Every structure is written in structure tokens, then in C-alpha cells.
């Protein structure tokens, strides 16, 4: 009799892997972020990546970061991966769900996460941890009782031929 495979990926690897795969759709030349929302029963509910809203061309809107005039930078136009994942959800409620995200959520996404009823965040990177947006985000998540946990990289590499 055959034994079951033992080298299957864990739930955490699966969901963070999906978040990273989603981030690969981002056109942002500097930072690509992906998010994956998961139900309490480990069903994937939604995904998202950072990008422009529908109708706003990736080729016409700016991808700059440091222009003096903020209208010429990307920040006013890009929707963050976390908000896109929340907005992309077509089911009922996200109450009690978890979010896997490749970069720690900013203050704006934290508000959406809290209001959507997401109760846990698993994040891979926190490269903007000392910025006001992330400090404020953590303050709100703490106050609202949203748990956040750093993803533990397993060291496993996955190669996919597409
Ligand atoms: N948690 C986050 C943080 C940032 N983003 C997006 C917003 C921008 O498209 C990009 C950050 O650009 P940078 O300032 O690093 O050039 O990442 C997000 O989706 N989620
Ligand atoms: Zn955000």
C-alpha cells in the first residue's frame, strides 16, 4: 500500500506562498506586495496586490516615489494589496478571518482590516516599521485586538515551471 506524501507544504507556506505569488502581479517597480485572506477553516477567501484602480492605466499613471509634487508620485493612486484583497472579496463577511501579507499593513489598511473583522495578520516583512504609518497601524491593531505575527520562513524553496 502507498504511504501519503510527507513533503507537502504547510498551511502557512501555502497561504504566504499565495500572497507572494499575488505580489508578482504588481507593476510597482520598487515594492510589490501581496495579500491572501483565509477563513477560520483554512479556505482562501480573497487575494490582492498593490496596483492602480480599475480604469487607471499602469502606463499613464506615475510610478515615481520622490517627485516634489505629490501628484506626480504613485502614492495618491495605488491601492494597497491588503485593501484590494478586502475589496476583491465577493462573499459575505470576513469576520474572524486571517490575512497573510508580504509587508506589514499601513495605517489605512489597518483601519480596513479592523472594520472588515479580520482578527489575525501574518506578515513576512516589516521594512517600514519605524514609519509613522506603521507605528499608527500597530497602535490601532493593538487597540482593536487584532493579533499580528511574523511569518517564520521555513527556508523551503518552490520552483514552478509555467
Ligand atoms: N503594507 C503595504 C505597504 C505598501 N504597499 C504598497 C504601496 C506602494 O505601491 C508600495 C510601496 O512603495 P515604496 O514606498 O516602497 O516604493 O507598496 C502595500 O500594498 N501594502
Ligand atoms: Zn496600506
Amino acid at each position: 500500500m502507498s504511504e501519503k506524501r510527507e513533503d507537502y507544504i504547510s498551511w502557512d507556506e501555502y497561504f504566504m506562498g499565495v500572497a507572494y505569488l499575488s505580489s508578482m502581479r504588481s507593476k510597482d517597480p520598487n515594492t510589490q506586495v501581496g495579500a491572501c485572506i483565509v477563513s477560520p477553516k483554512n479556505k482562501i477567501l480573497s487575494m490582492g496586490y498593490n496596483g492602480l484602480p480599475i480604469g487607471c492605466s499602469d502606463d499613464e499613471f506615475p510610478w515615481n516615489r520622490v517627485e516634489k509634487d505629490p501628484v506626480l508620485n504613485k502614492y495618491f493612486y495605488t491601492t494597497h494589496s491588503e485593501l484590494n484583497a478586502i475589496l476583491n472579496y465577493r462573499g459575505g463577511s470576513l469576520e474572524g478571518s486571517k490575512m497573510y501579507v508580504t509587508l506589514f499593513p499601513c495605517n489605512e489598511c489597518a483601519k480596513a482590516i479592523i472594520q472588515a473583522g479580520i482578527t489575525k495578520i501574518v506578515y513576512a516583512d516589516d521594512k517600514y516599521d519605524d514609519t509613522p504609518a506603521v507605528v499608527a497601524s500597530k497602535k490601532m491593531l493593538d487597540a482593536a485586538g487584532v493579533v499580528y505575527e511574523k511569518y517564520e520562513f521555513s527556508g523551503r524553496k518552490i520552483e514552478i515551471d509555467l
Side-chain angles (χ1 to χ4, degrees), residues 64-73 76:
N64 307 315
R65 309 177 70 234
V66 291
E67 291 300 315
K68 224 168 135 194
D69 179 355
V71 170
L72 301 178
N73 288 327
F76 282 173

Side-chain angles (χ1 to χ4, degrees), residues 80-83 105-110:
H80 289 191
S81 72
E82 302 93 312
L83 186 59
C106 74
N107 60 309
E108 292 298 329
C109 291

Side-chain angles (χ1 to χ4, degrees), residues 147-159:
V147 176
Y148 46 91
E149 182 180 278
K150 178 129 179 61
Y151 175 71
E152 294 217 8
F153 284 89
S154 61
R156 184 171 183 142
K157 297 239 181 298
I158 296 177
E159 201 180 9

Side-chain angles (χ1 to χ4, degrees), residues 28 30-33 49-51 63 65 74-75 78-82 101 103-106 109 127-128:
D28 190 318
N30 193 55
T31 301
Q32 303 81 43
V33 189
Y49 57 88
N50 54 324
W63 291 108
R65 309 177 70 234
K74 62 185 174 182
Y75 298 105
T78 46
T79 307
H80 289 191
S81 72
E82 302 93 312
V101 62
L103 181 59
F104 201 95
C106 74
C109 291
K127 68 174 177 173
Y128 292 131

Side-chain angles (χ1 to χ4, degrees), residues 35-92:
C36 173
I37 304 178
V38 180
S39 80
K41 290 191 171 170
N42 288 332
K43 309 278 184 221
I44 293 178
L45 300 175
S46 190
M47 285 163 273
Y49 57 88
N50 54 324
L52 292 164
I54 295 165
C56 302
S57 166
D58 298 326
D59 300 312
E60 287 164 24
F61 280 78
W63 291 108
N64 307 315
R65 309 177 70 234
V66 291
E67 291 300 315
K68 224 168 135 194
D69 179 355
V71 170
L72 301 178
N73 288 327
K74 62 185 174 182
Y75 298 105
F76 282 173
Y77 310 109
T78 46
T79 307
H80 289 191
S81 72
E82 302 93 312
L83 186 59
N84 265 333
I86 291 169
L87 295 173
N88 286 342
Y89 182 53
R90 285 290 171 272

